[in-house]
Amino acid sequence: MDKRWYVLHTLTGQEMKVRESIRRRLKQEGVEDLIGDVLIPTEKVSEVKRGVRSTTTRKFFPGYVLVYLALYDENNEICDKTWHFIRETPGMIGFVGGERPAPLRPEEVDVLLSQVEEKKEKVKPKMSFDVGETVKIVDGPFMNFSGVVEEMDPDKGKLKVSVAIFGRVAPVELEYWQVERT
């Protein structure tokens, strides 16, 4: 049987529990030939709270898990063994697509896997801003000033903010964590 990528809907916050349960039960229930990888796409994000910078992992799709498995047999019928194994996993709601789920298209999988690989090591700011948005500077020499976001560089985690200083507007380059929404 052919393995393909499918999306599982889980209870929010139960994604890791679902993944670990599937991985743990594979050998016990003799389905390792039917079920391959279990993936929870994530990215690293950083933020500063009360002057302390922390890095956490954020899920791309909270409440969803991707599983590489053989769901349909040669006759295009659902494989009961795979279906029941997945459906009986604690924390699982069901397959995205209902009673006859469709696998992800190969090009969708390629894009998703390349995004996961690309974001594996790169830390991204947790907060994002929009051009024209007013922000308050919470750290650095311009602390407590307000300004307007002119440019953003999410890859570097930097913003160019126009700040009124001594009656003139000056562009200031700041890191995302140095500002907050007003």
Side-chain angles (χ1 to χ4, degrees), residues 137 142 145-148 150 161-172:
I137 301 171
F142 300 101
F145 279 79
S146 289
V148 176
E150 298 295 330
V161 177
S162 291
V163 180
I165 307 167
F166 308 117
R168 294 196 172 144
V169 175
V172 178

Side-chain angles (χ1 to χ4, degrees), residues 52-63:
V52 179
R53 182 187 294 243
S54 65
T55 301
T56 57
T57 301
R58 177 171 59 190
K59 296 172 191 78
F60 286 8
F61 312 110

